[in-house]
Amino acid sequence: MNLILVGYMASGKSTIGVKTAELLDFNFIDLDAYIEKKENLSVSDIFKTKGEIYFRKLEQLYLKEITAKVDKTIISLGGGTPCFYDTMTWLNALENVQTVYLKTSLDVLTDRLYKDSTRPLIAHLETKEALRDFIAKHIFERSYFYNQANLVVESSISAEETINKIVSQLV
């Protein structure tokens, strides 16, 4: 079985993914890091030089490549990955996959992302209020896709509590 972690940026997908993988003796793959290695470019550079649509196509290509060849792996998706093409429907139809939405409050996301200039979608936002409004709009647009996950787990709490909730729901 593979676990696919979905959720907004800074919801804890990588942190929770790594720690849960260690606990379950699974492998861990961060889709963005995988893409960067395969393309030999950062996500930011792919966005800047080739555009978001090109990047979304890469996400699909590499996600299908990964899921076809791994087992006992936790895969952390980028925040937008589940929202393009038929990703959630396709993932939920796979027999060896459980999708997990790490649902995080707007306040926690805003605090985690404020002053984070490494993320291409929010790098242009200068005030905490502008960031909060941007996240709120995005969460509204993306929640339809995120909520299609097999499991919805609150991740505004500590990493350990979130991991315990995930593991207890898998059993």
Side-chain angles (χ1 to χ4, degrees), residues 66-85:
I66 294 166
T67 55
K69 67 181 182 183
V70 300
D71 190 36
K72 291 184 69 177
T73 301
I74 296 177
I75 305 165
S76 169
L77 303 187
T81 309
C83 309
F84 288 84
Y85 310 104

Side-chain angles (χ1 to χ4, degrees), residues 56-112:
R56 298 303 178 191
K57 289 179 180 178
L58 287 179
E59 286 178 314
Q60 288 296 301
L61 172 74
Y62 290 126
L63 183 56
K64 288 180 179 183
E65 176 180 294
I66 294 166
T67 55
K69 67 181 182 183
V70 300
D71 190 36
K72 291 184 69 177
T73 301
I74 296 177
I75 305 165
S76 169
L77 303 187
T81 309
C83 309
F84 288 84
Y85 310 104
D86 64 346
T87 303
M88 289 305 293
T89 302
W90 169 75
L91 285 170
N92 286 331
L94 294 175
E95 289 183 20
N96 67 331
V97 164
Q98 282 268 48
T99 52
V100 180
Y101 169 28
L102 298 181
K103 188 173 186 175
T104 312
S105 76
L106 178 59
D107 289 337
V108 168
L109 291 171
T110 303
D111 288 342
R112 288 179 185 171

Side-chain angles (χ1 to χ4, degrees), residues 11 15 26 35 42 46 48 50 58 94 118 153:
S11 63
T15 302
F26 275 37
I35 292 168
S42 70
I46 295 169
K48 285 177 197 166
K50 301 188 179 186
L58 287 179
L94 294 175
T118 64
V153 176

Side-chain angles (χ1 to χ4, degrees), residues 133-148:
D133 291 346
F134 181 88
I135 295 169
K137 178 182 177 287
H138 252 182
I139 292 291
F140 177 77
E141 294 167 347
R142 294 179 173 189
S143 63
Y144 169 78
F145 301 100
Y146 294 159
N147 281 306
Q148 292 177 37

Side-chain angles (χ1 to χ4, degrees), residues 14 28-43 46 55 59 62 66 75-78:
S14 295
F28 175 78
I29 297 173
D30 179 288
L31 183 61
D32 284 349
Y34 187 89
I35 292 168
E36 288 178 338
K37 185 175 180 183
K38 288 285 199 172
E39 295 295 308
N40 203 27
L41 284 170
S42 70
V43 170
I46 295 169
F55 176 74
E59 286 178 314
Y62 290 126
I66 294 166
I75 305 165
S76 169
L77 303 187

